[in-house]
Amino acid sequence: METGLLSFGPLTLDLRAGHLTRDGQAVSLRSKAFAVLDQLARRPGEVVSKDALMAAVWPDVTVTEDSLTQAIRDIRRVLGPEARDRLRTVARRGYALHPDAAAPAPPKRPRIALLPLQRRSGGTEASDLIDGLIEEITIGLSRFRSLAVIARHSAFAAADEPGLDLPGIGARLGADYVMDGTAHLAGDQLRLSISLNDVATGEVIWAESLTCVGHRLLTLQDLVPRRIVQSLALSAAEGARRQQTSNPTAFAHYARAVSLQRQLTTEQERRAHDYLLAALRLDPDFALAHCLLARAEIALEGFGLSSRAARLRAREHAARAVELAPDEAQCLSMLGFVHCYLEDWQAAETLIRRAIAANPCLSDCLADMAFVCLCRGRPAESLTWLDRAEEINPLKPPAHDVLRSEALFAQGHFDAAARALASLPQLGIRQLVRLAAIHACAGDSEGVRRHLDRAFALDPAWDCVAAAERSYLFEHDRDRQHLLGAIRAALRLYAGDAV
């Protein structure tokens, strides 16, 4: 099972991506039923007891065997008559899953990175527009499952590293192809000169100059991916066009917001929020603008520190995005992300699984799945999803290190958890308190003192326990108490050290 793929007649279960397909099409299965299937698939041919399945799928929740029976019934329904007998009931013992031989590994997909375009004119607003457009093209390209597309964060980070030429950037990202070029914005006219380069040979596979005025700008996120796919002699039949606006000014506002949100500062998030509101004033039915505005509502108040009112506003926008674009992975995942903040765990996981089934190549969706698994008390699964996200986004954003640290802490790997969190380029007060808690668990009083000194220098009145109770999301109280107990232990060590 090295590939993580198991087949059942016409069905294929991808344990790493977390989805089930029939003849290549996603199959819907409720999250608890999928979790049961996952547990059985990881032990093919073995009898797994009912007690073991219930403990794994419903931890710390009292349910009857009826819940497990219903999940088994759901699994057999989706397996269908041709594969139903692969799931066997073993009287008084449990269940056993007998898949076909492990499905063969799929052929290696070409990896491609889209680099930032060199700007020949325009100020900050032009730069934000062009960078946002490249992200939209990147997401559009990710819908073609014959390609592995490097996330925009990693592509831009590698391009910013000094001394790297195109082959060096390709090697840094593990990319087979890179797209680069120039952009010239004058008034409402955007002129692009772009090329697709083979990293190994230096050969230019495809090059084109495009001039866009007004509404033609709206075609780029569909046109450029198809040109790339066709130049690589891959099928362009897949990759349905993303839901967009017909208003070029609304799209320009949206593209600027996309770029600003990636800069991860409160001021840029506020500017992105304003651009998204402006886009929606021009086109109230612009689904992707609603999607990003949902994130902005929570981000502006510090994510975990956000008020319930902000979270409800976020849900309103995310739900509207899914209503307008029900098959758009980014919108589905955002609504699931918001449901986490409202502690509606089942809905959150179901929506994010739907997003991954719609597009398994979006790093943000995979990271959202890592987040929901962590919140639900499944740190090992969270790390698996995070690894998947970082295959696409190898020069990972800081949020990935935070998630990794929290998952490692939940598993009791304190040294690794501290290293992951300490690698952040900038530590805020919550990260400093968390580091102190990790060092307390490891018995390192010097580490506790060092980090709490820095935390209280930022805010001497900071209530470490109350802030943690409010800002961290947990489905199970045992996980919350594990963190709060570590913070209290750090504070005791710190108080004793001060005396």
Side-chain angles (χ1 to χ4, degrees), residues 293-359:
L293 190 54
R295 179 192 184 279
E297 292 288 358
I298 294 176
L300 280 173
E301 294 192 11
F303 290 101
L305 295 171
S306 59
S307 64
R308 181 162 180 81
R311 298 177 189 194
L312 291 174
R313 290 195 301 272
R315 183 177 65 182
E316 182 179 349
H317 285 294
R320 180 62 177 150
V322 170
E323 180 184 353
L324 291 165
D327 298 320
E328 176 57 57
Q330 193 174 356
C331 297
L332 288 165
S333 195
M334 183 58 67
L335 183 56
F337 180 75
V338 172
H339 273 289
C340 280
Y341 281 90
L342 294 168
E343 300 186 40
D344 187 353
W345 307 112
Q346 189 68 52
E349 183 165 345
T350 298
L351 284 159
I352 295 171
R353 285 193 183 279
R354 283 177 58 195
I356 293 169
N359 187 344

Coordinates of all heavy atoms in Angstrom, one line a residue, residues 293-359:
L293 N -13.6 37.6 1.4 CA -14.1 38.5 2.4 C -14.4 37.8 3.7 O -14.3 38.3 4.8 CB -15.4 39.3 1.9 CG -15.9 40.4 2.7 CD1 -14.8 41.5 3.0 CD2 -17.1 41.1 2.1
A294 N -14.9 36.5 3.5 CA -15.1 35.7 4.7 C -13.8 35.5 5.5 O -13.8 35.7 6.8 CB -15.6 34.3 4.3
R295 N -12.7 35.3 4.8 CA -11.4 35.2 5.5 C -11.1 36.5 6.2 O -10.6 36.5 7.3 CB -10.4 34.7 4.5 CG -9.0 34.6 5.1 CD -7.9 34.4 4.1 NE -6.6 34.2 4.7 CZ -5.8 35.2 5.1 NH1 -6.2 36.5 5.1 NH2 -4.6 34.9 5.7
A296 N -11.2 37.6 5.4 CA -10.8 38.9 5.9 C -11.6 39.2 7.2 O -11.0 39.8 8.1 CB -11.1 39.9 4.9
E297 N -12.8 38.9 7.3 CA -13.6 39.2 8.5 C -13.0 38.6 9.8 O -12.9 39.2 10.8 CB -15.1 38.7 8.4 CG -15.9 39.5 7.3 CD -16.3 40.9 7.7 OE1 -15.9 41.3 8.9 OE2 -16.9 41.6 6.9
I298 N -12.5 37.4 9.6 CA -11.9 36.7 10.8 C -10.5 37.2 11.0 O -10.0 37.4 12.1 CB -11.9 35.2 10.6 CG1 -13.4 34.7 10.6 CG2 -11.1 34.4 11.7 CD1 -13.5 33.2 10.3
A299 N -9.7 37.3 9.9 CA -8.3 37.7 10.0 C -8.1 39.1 10.6 O -7.2 39.3 11.4 CB -7.7 37.7 8.6
L300 N -9.0 40.0 10.3 CA -8.9 41.4 10.8 C -9.0 41.4 12.4 O -8.5 42.4 13.0 CB -9.9 42.3 10.2 CG -9.6 42.8 8.8 CD1 -10.8 43.6 8.2 CD2 -8.4 43.7 8.9
E301 N -9.6 40.4 12.9 CA -9.7 40.4 14.4 C -8.8 39.3 15.0 O -9.0 38.9 16.2 CB -11.2 40.2 14.8 CG -12.1 41.3 14.5 CD -13.5 41.2 15.1 OE1 -13.6 40.4 16.0 OE2 -14.3 42.0 14.8
G302 N -7.8 38.9 14.2 CA -6.8 38.0 14.8 C -7.2 36.5 14.8 O -6.8 35.8 15.7
F303 N -8.0 36.1 13.9 CA -8.4 34.7 13.7 C -9.0 34.1 15.0 O -10.2 34.4 15.3 CB -7.2 33.8 13.2 CG -6.9 34.1 11.8 CD1 -5.8 34.9 11.5 CD2 -7.6 33.6 10.8 CE1 -5.4 35.1 10.2 CE2 -7.3 33.8 9.4 CZ -6.2 34.6 9.2
G304 N -8.2 33.4 15.8 CA -8.7 32.8 17.1 C -9.3 33.8 18.1 O -10.1 33.5 18.9
L305 N -8.8 35.1 18.0 CA -9.3 36.1 18.9 C -10.5 36.9 18.3 O -11.0 37.8 19.0 CB -8.1 37.1 19.1 CG -6.9 36.6 19.9 CD1 -5.8 37.6 19.9 CD2 -7.3 36.2 21.3
S306 N -11.0 36.5 17.2 CA -12.1 37.2 16.5 C -13.4 37.0 17.3 O -13.6 36.0 18.0 CB -12.3 36.7 15.1 OG -12.5 35.3 15.1
S307 N -14.2 38.0 17.2 CA -15.5 38.0 17.9 C -16.5 37.0 17.2 O -16.3 36.7 16.1 CB -16.1 39.4 18.0 OG -16.4 39.8 16.7
R308 N -17.5 36.6 18.0 CA -18.6 35.8 17.3 C -19.3 36.6 16.2 O -19.6 36.0 15.2 CB -19.6 35.3 18.4 CG -20.7 34.4 17.7 CD -21.4 33.6 18.7 NE -22.4 32.8 18.1 CZ -22.2 31.6 17.5 NH1 -21.0 31.1 17.5 NH2 -23.2 31.0 16.9
A309 N -19.4 37.9 16.4 CA -20.0 38.7 15.3 C -19.2 38.6 14.0 O -19.8 38.5 12.9 CB -20.2 40.1 15.8
A310 N -17.9 38.7 14.1 CA -17.0 38.6 13.0 C -17.2 37.2 12.3 O -17.2 37.1 11.1 CB -15.6 38.9 13.3
R311 N -17.2 36.2 13.1 CA -17.4 34.8 12.6 C -18.7 34.6 11.9 O -18.8 33.9 10.9 CB -17.2 33.8 13.8 CG -15.8 33.9 14.4 CD -15.6 33.0 15.6 NE -14.3 33.3 16.3 CZ -13.7 32.5 17.2 NH1 -14.3 31.3 17.5 NH2 -12.6 32.8 17.7
L312 N -19.7 35.2 12.4 CA -21.0 35.1 11.8 C -21.1 35.9 10.4 O -21.7 35.4 9.5 CB -22.1 35.6 12.7 CG -22.4 34.7 13.9 CD1 -23.4 35.3 14.9 CD2 -22.9 33.3 13.5
R313 N -20.4 37.0 10.4 CA -20.3 37.7 9.1 C -19.5 36.9 8.1 O -19.9 36.8 6.9 CB -19.6 39.1 9.3 CG -20.4 40.1 10.1 CD -19.8 41.5 10.0 NE -18.4 41.6 10.4 CZ -18.1 41.9 11.7 NH1 -19.0 42.1 12.6 NH2 -16.8 42.0 12.0
A314 N -18.5 36.3 8.6 CA -17.7 35.4 7.7 C -18.5 34.3 7.2 O -18.4 33.9 6.0 CB -16.5 34.9 8.5
R315 N -19.3 33.7 8.1 CA -20.2 32.6 7.6 C -21.2 33.0 6.5 O -21.4 32.3 5.5 CB -20.9 31.9 8.7 CG -21.8 30.7 8.3 CD -22.5 30.1 9.5 NE -23.5 30.9 10.1 CZ -24.2 30.6 11.2 NH1 -24.0 29.4 11.7 NH2 -25.1 31.4 11.7
E316 N -21.7 34.2 6.7 CA -22.6 34.8 5.7 C -22.0 34.9 4.4 O -22.6 34.5 3.3 CB -23.1 36.1 6.2 CG -24.2 36.8 5.3 CD -24.7 38.1 5.8 OE1 -24.4 38.5 7.0 OE2 -25.3 38.8 5.1
H317 N -20.8 35.4 4.3 CA -20.1 35.6 3.0 C -19.7 34.2 2.4 O -19.8 34.0 1.2 CB -18.9 36.5 3.2 CG -19.3 37.9 3.3 ND1 -19.8 38.7 2.3 CD2 -19.1 38.8 4.4 CE1 -20.0 39.9 2.7 NE2 -19.6 40.0 4.0
A318 N -19.2 33.3 3.3 CA -18.7 32.0 2.8 C -19.9 31.2 2.3 O -19.8 30.6 1.2 CB -17.9 31.3 3.9
A319 N -21.0 31.3 3.0 CA -22.2 30.6 2.5 C -22.7 31.1 1.2 O -23.2 30.4 0.3 CB -23.3 30.6 3.6
R320 N -22.7 32.4 1.1 CA -23.1 33.1 -0.2 C -22.2 32.6 -1.3 O -22.6 32.4 -2.4 CB -23.1 34.6 0.0 CG -23.5 35.4 -1.3 CD -24.9 35.1 -1.7 NE -25.3 35.9 -2.9 CZ -26.2 35.4 -3.8 NH1 -26.8 34.2 -3.7 NH2 -26.5 36.2 -4.8
A321 N -20.9 32.5 -1.0 CA -19.9 32.1 -2.1 C -20.3 30.7 -2.5 O -20.3 30.4 -3.8 CB -18.5 32.1 -1.5
V322 N -20.6 29.8 -1.6 CA -20.9 28.4 -2.0 C -22.3 28.4 -2.7 O -22.4 27.6 -3.7 CB -20.9 27.5 -0.8 CG1 -21.5 26.1 -1.1 CG2 -19.5 27.3 -0.2
E323 N -23.2 29.2 -2.3 CA -24.5 29.3 -3.0 C -24.3 29.7 -4.5 O -24.9 29.1 -5.4 CB -25.4 30.3 -2.3 CG -26.8 30.4 -2.9 CD -27.6 31.5 -2.3 OE1 -27.2 32.1 -1.2 OE2 -28.7 31.8 -2.8
L324 N -23.4 30.6 -4.7 CA -23.1 31.1 -6.1 C -22.2 30.2 -6.9 O -22.4 30.1 -8.1 CB -22.5 32.5 -6.0 CG -23.3 33.6 -5.5 CD1 -22.5 34.8 -5.1 CD2 -24.4 34.0 -6.5
A325 N -21.3 29.5 -6.2 CA -20.4 28.6 -6.9 C -20.2 27.3 -6.1 O -19.2 27.0 -5.4 CB -19.0 29.3 -7.0
P326 N -21.2 26.4 -6.2 CA -21.3 25.2 -5.3 C -20.2 24.2 -5.6 O -20.0 23.3 -4.8 CB -22.7 24.6 -5.6 CG -23.1 25.2 -6.9 CD -22.5 26.5 -7.0
D327 N -19.5 24.3 -6.7 CA -18.5 23.3 -7.1 C -17.1 23.9 -7.0 O -16.1 23.2 -7.4 CB -18.7 22.7 -8.5 CG -20.1 22.0 -8.6 OD1 -20.4 21.3 -7.6 OD2 -20.7 22.1 -9.6
E328 N -17.0 25.1 -6.5 CA -15.7 25.8 -6.4 C -15.0 25.4 -5.2 O -15.4 25.7 -4.0 CB -15.9 27.3 -6.5 CG -14.6 28.1 -6.3 CD -13.5 27.7 -7.4 OE1 -13.8 27.8 -8.6 OE2 -12.4 27.3 -6.9
A329 N -13.8 24.7 -5.3 CA -13.1 24.1 -4.1 C -12.7 25.2 -3.1 O -12.9 25.0 -1.9 CB -11.9 23.4 -4.6
Q330 N -12.3 26.4 -3.6 CA -11.9 27.4 -2.7 C -13.0 27.9 -1.8 O -12.9 28.2 -0.6 CB -11.3 28.6 -3.5 CG -10.5 29.6 -2.7 CD -9.9 30.6 -3.6 OE1 -9.9 30.6 -4.8 NE2 -9.2 31.6 -3.0
C331 N -14.2 28.0 -2.4 CA -15.4 28.5 -1.7 C -15.8 27.4 -0.6 O -16.2 27.7 0.5 CB -16.5 28.8 -2.6 SG -16.2 30.2 -3.7
L332 N -15.8 26.1 -1.1 CA -16.2 25.1 -0.2 C -15.3 25.0 1.0 O -15.7 24.9 2.2 CB -16.2 23.7 -0.9 CG -17.3 23.5 -1.9 CD1 -17.0 22.3 -2.8 CD2 -18.7 23.3 -1.2
S333 N -14.0 25.1 0.8 CA -13.0 25.0 1.8 C -13.1 26.2 2.8 O -13.0 26.0 4.0 CB -11.6 24.9 1.3 OG -10.7 24.5 2.2
M334 N -13.4 27.4 2.2 CA -13.5 28.5 3.1 C -14.7 28.4 4.0 O -14.7 28.8 5.2 CB -13.6 29.8 2.3 CG -13.7 31.1 3.1 SD -12.3 31.3 4.2 CE -11.0 31.6 2.9
L335 N -15.8 27.9 3.5 CA -17.0 27.7 4.4 C -16.7 26.7 5.5 O -17.1 26.9 6.6 CB -18.2 27.3 3.5 CG -19.5 27.1 4.3 CD1 -19.9 28.4 5.1 CD2 -20.7 26.7 3.4
G336 N -16.0 25.6 5.1 CA -15.5 24.7 6.1 C -14.6 25.3 7.2 O -14.8 25.0 8.4
F337 N -13.7 26.1 6.7 CA -12.8 26.8 7.6 C -13.6 27.7 8.6 O -13.3 27.7 9.8 CB -11.8 27.7 6.8 CG -10.8 28.4 7.5 CD1 -9.7 27.8 8.1 CD2 -10.9 29.8 7.7 CE1 -8.8 28.6 8.8 CE2 -10.0 30.6 8.4 CZ -8.9 29.9 8.9
V338 N -14.6 28.4 8.1 CA -15.4 29.3 9.0 C -16.2 28.4 10.0 O -16.3 28.8 11.1 CB -16.3 30.2 8.1 CG1 -17.3 30.9 9.0 CG2 -15.5 31.2 7.3
H339 N -16.7 27.3 9.5 CA -17.4 26.4 10.4 C -16.6 25.9 11.6 O -17.1 25.7 12.7 CB -18.1 25.2 9.7 CG -19.4 25.5 9.1 ND1 -20.5 25.7 9.8 CD2 -19.8 25.7 7.8 CE1 -21.6 26.0 9.1 NE2 -21.2 26.0 7.8
C340 N -15.3 25.8 11.3 CA -14.4 25.4 12.4 C -14.4 26.5 13.5 O -14.5 26.2 14.7 CB -12.9 25.3 12.0 SG -12.5 23.8 11.1
Y341 N -14.4 27.8 13.1 CA -14.4 28.9 14.1 C -15.8 29.0 14.8 O -15.9 29.6 15.9 CB -14.1 30.2 13.4 CG -12.6 30.3 13.2 CD1 -12.0 29.8 12.1 CD2 -11.8 30.9 14.2 CE1 -10.6 29.9 11.9 CE2 -10.4 31.0 14.0 CZ -9.8 30.5 12.9 OH -8.5 30.5 12.7
L342 N -16.8 28.4 14.2 CA -18.1 28.3 14.9 C -18.3 27.0 15.6 O -19.4 26.7 16.1 CB -19.2 28.5 13.8 CG -19.3 30.0 13.2 CD1 -20.2 30.0 12.0 CD2 -19.7 31.0 14.3
E343 N -17.3 26.2 15.6 CA -17.2 24.9 16.3 C -18.3 23.9 15.8 O -18.9 23.1 16.5 CB -17.3 25.1 17.8 CG -16.1 25.9 18.3 CD -16.1 26.0 19.8 OE1 -16.4 25.0 20.5 OE2 -15.7 27.1 20.3
D344 N -18.6 24.0 14.5 CA -19.6 23.1 13.8 C -18.7 22.1 13.1 O -18.5 22.2 11.9 CB -20.5 23.9 12.9 CG -21.6 23.0 12.3 OD1 -21.5 21.8 12.5 OD2 -22.5 23.5 11.6
W345 N -18.2 21.1 13.9 CA -17.1 20.3 13.4 C -17.5 19.4 12.2 O -16.7 19.2 11.2 CB -16.5 19.5 14.5 CG -16.1 20.3 15.7 CD1 -16.8 20.3 16.9 CD2 -15.1 21.3 15.8 NE1 -16.1 21.2 17.8 CE2 -15.1 21.8 17.1 CE3 -14.1 21.7 14.9 CZ2 -14.2 22.8 17.5 CZ3 -13.2 22.7 15.3 CH2 -13.3 23.2 16.6
Q346 N -18.6 18.8 12.3 CA -19.0 17.8 11.3 C -19.2 18.6 9.9 O -18.7 18.1 8.9 CB -20.3 17.2 11.6 CG -20.8 16.0 10.7 CD -19.8 14.8 10.8 OE1 -19.5 14.3 11.9 NE2 -19.3 14.4 9.7
A347 N -19.9 19.7 10.0 CA -20.0 20.5 8.7 C -18.7 20.9 8.2 O -18.5 20.9 7.0 CB -20.9 21.7 9.0
A348 N -17.8 21.3 9.1 CA -16.5 21.8 8.6 C -15.7 20.7 7.9 O -15.2 21.0 6.7 CB -15.7 22.3 9.8
E349 N -15.7 19.5 8.4 CA -14.9 18.5 7.8 C -15.6 18.0 6.5 O -14.9 17.8 5.5 CB -14.7 17.3 8.7 CG -13.9 16.2 8.1 CD -13.4 15.2 9.2 OE1 -13.4 15.4 10.4 OE2 -12.9 14.1 8.7
T350 N -16.9 17.9 6.5 CA -17.6 17.5 5.3 C -17.3 18.5 4.1 O -17.1 18.1 3.0 CB -19.1 17.4 5.6 OG1 -19.3 16.4 6.6 CG2 -19.9 17.0 4.3
L351 N -17.4 19.8 4.4 CA -17.2 20.8 3.4 C -15.8 20.8 2.8 O -15.5 20.9 1.6 CB -17.5 22.2 3.9 CG -19.0 22.5 4.1 CD1 -19.2 23.6 5.1 CD2 -19.6 22.9 2.7
I352 N -14.8 20.6 3.7 CA -13.4 20.6 3.3 C -13.1 19.3 2.5 O -12.4 19.4 1.5 CB -12.4 20.8 4.5 CG1 -12.7 22.2 5.1 CG2 -11.0 20.7 4.0 CD1 -12.0 22.5 6.4
R353 N -13.7 18.2 2.9 CA -13.5 17.0 2.1 C -14.1 17.2 0.7 O -13.6 16.7 -0.3 CB -14.1 15.8 2.8 CG -13.3 15.3 4.0 CD -13.8 13.9 4.4 NE -13.0 13.5 5.6 CZ -11.8 12.9 5.5 NH1 -11.2 12.7 4.4 NH2 -11.2 12.5 6.7
R354 N -15.3 17.8 0.6 CA -15.9 18.1 -0.7 C -14.9 19.0 -1.5 O -14.8 18.8 -2.7 CB -17.2 18.8 -0.5 CG -18.4 17.9 -0.1 CD -19.6 18.7 0.1 NE -20.0 19.5 -1.1 CZ -20.9 20.5 -1.1 NH1 -21.5 20.8 0.1 NH2 -21.2 21.1 -2.2
A355 N -14.3 20.0 -0.9 CA -13.4 20.9 -1.6 C -12.2 20.1 -2.2 O -11.8 20.3 -3.3 CB -12.9 21.9 -0.6
I356 N -11.7 19.2 -1.4 CA -10.5 18.4 -1.9 C -10.9 17.4 -3.0 O -10.2 17.2 -3.9 CB -9.9 17.6 -0.7 CG1 -9.2 18.6 0.3 CG2 -8.8 16.6 -1.2 CD1 -8.8 18.1 1.6
A357 N -12.1 16.9 -2.9 CA -12.6 16.0 -4.0 C -12.8 16.8 -5.3 O -12.5 16.3 -6.3 CB -13.9 15.4 -3.6
A358 N -13.2 18.1 -5.1 CA -13.4 19.0 -6.3 C -12.0 19.4 -6.9 O -11.9 19.5 -8.1 CB -14.1 20.2 -5.9
N359 N -11.0 19.6 -6.1 CA -9.7 20.0 -6.5 C -8.7 19.5 -5.5 O -8.4 20.3 -4.6 CB -9.6 21.5 -6.8 CG -8.3 21.9 -7.5 OD1 -7.3 21.1 -7.5 ND2 -8.2 23.0 -8.0

